[in-house]
């Protein structure tokens, strides 16, 4: 993604509304709001602009390298361990000691930075709350800026929310989860903030604004001298981790706090990154608090990496679970790698959520979550993710029962047996059938997710599962792959092959089903037709789009004072 893609909008004369007090070289085209102005202060923007200016060329280079790697995979190469960094993989070294405040991370809740959810998550009883500017958030100007306001109030301990319809006031409990923040990935621009005439890098805006406003109160009240804490998404190579490490060092220096104060957990959620886990930890060794199995993006990345490899097609999405050999190998190797270097190996997200109106189905969903968590804790993971507060007691029980009083398993679950996991293990093609139902479900879920995202919701319940940008990506790329290679569907004995024509009919039928499920009124008012257009185009494009959200972002960028600008 060229950061210059989102063109600088012509302001066309004098601004007629209040405007932010910006430093030299910075322009803001997002809506003015008094609350946002408390985040977008001149000094905070100066801080973000300094990061942008120092790191933009490094980021550009890293994104160019992604393109080059893609070119090689598309020519038939396979990802693998880099012989040049064998010394890092085989060397004996440790990451900086885990801050005491983070020793116990048995259950972490995640969720978008929406005000009520931030309070609910912090009060949920989880050890950690990962506040999400990424997979769970649609990155509209309103969501991002309100998210920053919410986090600032949360760190200050003053956040409240008044639900007038339900006559309920939300505020923080005495005991709250420790806050981690997940900025966007390197590829996403922030098209409402221009620095030297170019859109800012989304993650530097998310990180920079949050860090600038919260580092001092956070270290005082939450981190016992450490922090703030971050989750870092979607990296493909250790050179990207090195940029983050340099960003952290620069930020620490700029505000005068000790090097190593900031701590981050990296999601291993791209296929190339699984071969770089040691190298990623090594780059971030003074700032690391472990790795996490971002299983959903990892599956998406498997398809993306092998987009030109018709011998590596995925079965139905529901069949690609953690017990498939390549997924189990990834989780085992991640645990071994983290524990060898003295940091947490975090598990991932089970997609089931509570089912309120059906006790039997609810119990079955809970049982699937328990089973997933039991597998994780027995394998040696130190903690796991929960999508919903209702799942926390079950997840906590499984981890407590299997870990006793220990805060983590870093020293006790070394998993030396995973040392011999090979490139073949990590790349093994997942097994299972490809069905018409799978194609239909991908389509129905993908379109509904994009419709939600376009209207401001980045995580939604669909058919009793949590769906977010990562899970929706699987639906999209799997459809693309099946259409591209005309896969034969299993199950009907007729040898039906997926084609654009078949997919076109499926889209029509699934749109009709969505309309009947959500009701005519919601269907009309929602953005289902636009979502369908985006999803259909991406599933049938001759070359695979890198990210669903890059194209869709065009639809949610709104420049002020010129009104909506389709870029
Ligand atoms: C692949 C990945 O990256 S995983 C990480 C990113 N994804 C996520 O973080 C998804 C997080 N989960 C969610 O967003 C939500 O749970 C959803 C959208 C899946 C379901 O949300 P809802 O339909 O609102 O759930 P439901 O109606 O059962 O919620 C009940 C209550 O729990 C709250 N709640 C639900 N999930 C969360 C959460 N993750 N964090 C905080 N509060 C939550 C709701 O706000 C609601 O509160 P209230 O009773 O005070 O009104
Ligand atoms: O971010 C988490 C994932 O599974 O993707
Ligand atoms: Mg992810």
């Amino acid at each position: 993604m060229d950061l210059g893609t989102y063109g600088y909008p012509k302001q066309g004369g004098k601004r007629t509304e209040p405007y932010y007090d910006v430093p030299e070289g910075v322009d803001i085209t997002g809506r003015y709001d008094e609350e946002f102005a408390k985040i977008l202060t001149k000094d905070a923007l100066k801080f973000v602009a300094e990061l942008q200016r120092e790191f933009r060329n490094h980021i550009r280079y890293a994104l160019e390298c992604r393109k080059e790697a893609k070119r090689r995979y598309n020519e038939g190469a396979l990802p693998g361990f880099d012989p040049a960094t064998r010394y890092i993989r085989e060397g004996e070294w440790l990451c900086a000691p885990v801050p005491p405040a983070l020793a116990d991370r048995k259950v972490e809740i995640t969720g978008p930075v929406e005000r009520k959810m931030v309070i609910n998550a912090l009060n949920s009883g989880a050890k950690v709350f990962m506040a999400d500017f990424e997979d769970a958030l649609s990155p509209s100007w309103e969501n991002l800026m309100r998210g920053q306001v919410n986090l600032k109030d949360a760190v200050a301990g003053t956040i409240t929310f008044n639900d007038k319809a339900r006559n309920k006031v939300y505020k923080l409990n005495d005991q709250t989860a420790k806050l981690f923040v997940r900025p966007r990935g390197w590829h996403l621009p922030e098209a409402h903030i221009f620095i030297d005439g170019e859109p800012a890098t989304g993650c530097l805006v998310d990180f920079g604004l949050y860090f600038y406003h919260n580092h001092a109160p956070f270290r005082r009240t939450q981190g016992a001298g450490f922090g703030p804490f971050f989750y870092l998404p979607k990296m493909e190579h250790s050179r990207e981790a090195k940029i983050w490490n340099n960003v952290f060092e620069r930020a620490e220096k700029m505000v005068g706090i000790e090097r190593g104060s900031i701590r981050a957990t990296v999601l291993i959620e791209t296929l190339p990154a699984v071969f770089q886990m040691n190298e990623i930890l090594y780059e971030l060794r003074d700032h690391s608090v472990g790795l996490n199995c971002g299983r959903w993006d990892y599956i998406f990345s498997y398809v993306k990496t092998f987009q030109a490899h018709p011998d590596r097609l995925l079965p139905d999405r529901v069949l690609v679970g953690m017990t498939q050999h390549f997924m189990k190998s990834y989780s085992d190797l991640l645990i071994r790698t983290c524990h060898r270097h003295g940091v947490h190996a975090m598990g991932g997200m089970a997609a089931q959520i509570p089912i309120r109106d059906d006790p039997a189905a609810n119990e079955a969903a809970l049982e699937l979550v328990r089973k997933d968590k039991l597998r994780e804790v027995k394998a040696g993971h130190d903690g796991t993710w929960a999508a919903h507060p209702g799942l926390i007691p079950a997840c906590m029980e499984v981890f407590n029962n299997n870990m006793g009083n220990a805060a983590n398993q870093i020293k006790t679950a070394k998993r030396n047996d995973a040392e011999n996991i090979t490139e073949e293990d990590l790349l093994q093609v997942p097994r299972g059938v490809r069905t018409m139902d799978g194609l239909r479900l991908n389509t129905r879920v993908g379109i509904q997710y994009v419709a939600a995202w376009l209207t401001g919701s980045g995580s939604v319940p669909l058919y009793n599962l949590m769906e977010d940008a990562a899970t929706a990506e699987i639906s999209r790329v799997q459809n693309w792959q099946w259409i591209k290679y005309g896969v034969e569907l299993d199950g009907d004995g007729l040898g039906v092959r997926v084609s654009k024509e078949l997919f076109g009919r499926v889209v029509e039928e699934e749109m009709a089903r969505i309309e009947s499920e959500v009701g005519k009124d919601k269907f009309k008012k929602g953005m289902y037709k636009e979502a369908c257009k985006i999803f259909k185009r991406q599933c049938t494009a001759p070359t695979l789009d890198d990210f669903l959200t890059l194209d869709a972002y065009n639809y949610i960028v709104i420049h002020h004072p010129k009104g909506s600008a389709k870029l």
Side-chain angles (χ1 to χ4, degrees):
M1 165 86 206
D2 174 357
L3 291 181
T5 299
Y6 296 88
Y8 186 76
K10 292 187 192 74
Q11 292 301 335
K14 266 191 166 171
R15 292 176 190 277
T16 53
E17 57 182 40
Y19 182 60
Y20 300 97
D21 182 14
V22 293
E24 184 71 31
V26 175
D27 195 8
I28 295 184
T29 64
R31 185 180 72 81
Y32 181 85
D33 185 291
E34 270 178 30
E35 287 298 307
F36 300 174
K38 292 180 195 155
I39 298 294
L40 297 163
T41 61
K42 195 168 187 174
D43 285 344
L45 288 168
K46 216 163 144 189
F47 183 83
V48 172
E50 276 193 52
L51 294 178
Q52 178 76 27
R53 287 177 182 132
E54 180 153 349
F55 294 105
R56 60 184 158 207
N57 287 336
H58 300 269
I59 297 166
R60 215 169 254 145
Y61 176 70
L63 295 181
E64 283 301 318
C65 290
R66 282 191 188 177
K67 279 191 198 151
E68 179 55 24
K70 179 167 96 173
R71 195 188 55 73
R72 282 191 285 114
Y73 302 142
N74 284 353
E75 284 173 5
L78 302 178
F81 296 107
D82 183 353
T85 48
R86 178 188 289 269
Y87 73 100
I88 295 177
R89 288 194 299 282
E90 293 182 357
E92 293 295 328
W93 49 270
L94 288 173
C95 294
V98 173
L102 287 182
D104 186 344
R105 300 171 62 181
K106 287 192 192 81
V107 182
E108 303 189 335
I109 189 166
T110 70
V113 286
E114 194 246 307
R115 199 163 182 88
K116 182 180 79 173
M117 285 178 91
V118 168
I119 303 173
N120 280 341
L122 286 168
N123 288 343
S124 67
K127 302 286 181 186
V128 163
F129 164 43
M130 188 208 70
D132 203 5
F133 285 100
E134 214 248 340
D135 285 336
L137 192 81
S138 166
S140 66
W141 179 245
E142 302 297 315
N143 281 350
L144 292 165
M145 290 304 118
R146 285 194 199 292
Q148 290 284 349
V149 172
N150 297 341
L151 294 186
K152 187 162 178 259
D153 293 347
V155 173
T158 57
I159 188 168
T160 58
F161 176 72
N162 188 356
D163 184 342
K164 288 188 188 128
R166 290 159 71 190
N167 194 22
K168 186 171 172 186
V169 176
Y170 293 74
K171 59 184 174 55
L172 292 180
N173 294 342
D174 293 338
Q175 278 270 331
T176 56
K178 292 271 180 294
L179 183 64
F180 275 60
V181 170
R182 179 163 72 170
R184 283 168 278 180
W186 287 122
H187 60 286
L188 282 170
E190 176 44 63
H192 303 93
I193 299 183
F194 284 77
I195 298 173
D196 306 330
E198 278 181 358
T201 304
C203 60
L204 293 184
V205 172
D206 303 338
F207 165 80
L209 293 175
Y210 172 72
F211 176 83
Y212 183 83
H213 288 293
N214 300 293
H215 68 89
F218 187 95
R219 281 153 47 83
R220 211 170 42 242
T221 59
Q222 285 229 359
F226 287 91
F229 305 137
F230 295 92
Y231 256 104
L232 303 177
K234 292 189 176 49
M235 285 196 265
E236 297 191 5
H237 194 274
S238 58
R239 74 173 71 81
E240 301 174 24
K242 185 175 182 162
I243 304 176
W244 269 119
N245 195 63
N246 291 341
V247 168
F248 292 164
E249 288 188 354
R250 189 81 184 96
E252 287 163 345
K253 209 164 158 193
M254 278 152 78
V255 302
I257 61 175
E258 212 177 308
R259 186 164 165 271
S261 298
I262 299 174
R263 293 304 177 99
T265 296
V266 171
L267 287 133
I268 298 300
E269 55 180 355
T270 67
L271 192 64
V274 83
F275 300 100
Q276 290 271 318
M277 293 194 292
N278 288 278
E279 291 84 339
I280 287 171
L281 282 180
Y282 189 74
E283 291 296 351
L284 279 159
R285 60 195 179 281
D286 295 328
H287 292 103
S288 176
V289 274
L291 303 175
N292 169 299
C293 278
R295 61 174 77 166
W296 301 105
D297 268 311
Y298 192 73
I299 298 168
F300 157 47
S301 175
Y302 187 93
V303 179
K304 193 157 84 166
T305 307
F306 290 133
Q307 59 186 273
H309 297 234
D311 55 332
R312 290 176 188 273
L313 305 179
L314 240 56
D316 279 2
R317 189 186 123 172
V318 292
L319 300 176
V320 191
M322 293 306 296
T323 52
Q324 289 276 2
H325 185 74
F326 82 116
M327 297 298 277
K328 181 180 179 316
S329 305
Y330 141 68
S331 146
D332 288 346
L333 189 59
L334 183 141
I335 295 164
R336 148 125 179 119
T337 308
C338 289
H339 290 180
R340 210 159 89 78
H341 302 305
V343 284
H344 289 76
M346 300 302 298
M349 181 68 87
Q352 291 78 18
I353 48 177
I355 305 171
R356 236 175 289 151
D357 48 6
D358 184 341
N362 186 51
E363 186 43 40
L366 262 180
E367 198 43 41
L368 286 174
V369 174
R370 281 193 205 101
K371 209 170 147 194
D372 184 59
K373 301 308 147 198
L374 187 62
R375 179 194 52 74
E376 287 185 331
V377 71
K378 281 184 178 294
H381 278 296
D382 302 290
T384 192
W385 274 13
H388 189 289
L391 300 172
I392 291 172
C395 298
M396 200 66 93
E397 191 184 343
V398 173
F399 271 77
N400 281 336
N401 285 350
N402 286 274
M403 281 170 56
N405 293 327
N408 56 60
Q409 313 196 74
I410 297 173
K411 292 211 165 85
T412 51
K414 285 296 183 194
R415 291 302 310 267
N416 290 333
D417 58 304
E419 187 182 10
N420 298 323
I421 288 173
T422 62
E423 292 175 347
E424 289 71 32
D425 291 320
L426 294 162
L427 299 179
Q428 194 189 86
V429 185
R431 302 206 167 106
V433 291
R434 302 180 189 95
T435 68
M436 189 66 178
D437 282 348
L439 181 69
R440 285 190 179 284
L441 189 62
N442 279 344
T443 305
R444 200 158 65 244
V445 165
I447 292 172
Q448 289 184 85
Y449 178 77
V450 176
W453 194 93
L454 292 174
T455 48
S457 297
S459 54
V460 282
L462 287 174
Y463 309 108
N464 299 325
L465 295 178
M466 180 275 311
E467 296 287 343
D468 68 7
T471 60
E473 283 285 26
I474 303 172
S475 297
R476 171 183 75 98
V477 295
Q478 181 167 59
N479 276 7
W480 180 88
Q481 183 191 55
W482 287 8
I483 294 166
K484 168 104 180 158
Y485 297 109
V487 304
E488 185 176 329
L489 295 174
D490 298 303
D492 56 14
L494 295 172
V496 173
R497 288 191 174 275
V498 181
S499 63
K500 280 190 190 169
E501 293 66 40
L502 176 72
F503 176 61
R505 289 203 298 280
V506 165
V507 167
E508 265 177 40
E509 287 164 18
E510 293 308 318
M511 280 293 275
R513 178 162 169 186
I514 294 169
E515 183 173 9
S516 80
E517 283 177 1
V518 304
K520 275 195 179 345
D521 199 39
K522 184 174 171 194
F523 189 79
K524 211 162 126 203
K525 288 188 189 137
M527 290 189 72
Y528 295 93
K529 292 207 172 109
E530 291 82 351
C532 180
K533 198 171 132 206
I534 295 171
F535 188 74
K536 198 171 164 191
R537 187 201 65 72
Q538 292 212 5
C539 292
T540 53
T543 49
L544 183 65
D545 282 26
D546 285 344
F547 292 98
L548 167 64
T549 48
L550 272 175
D551 183 18
Y553 186 54
N554 279 298
Y555 291 75
I556 63 168
V557 171
I558 301 178
H559 290 305
H560 281 261
K562 299 297 289 176
S564 174
K566 177 108 193 300
L567 296 171

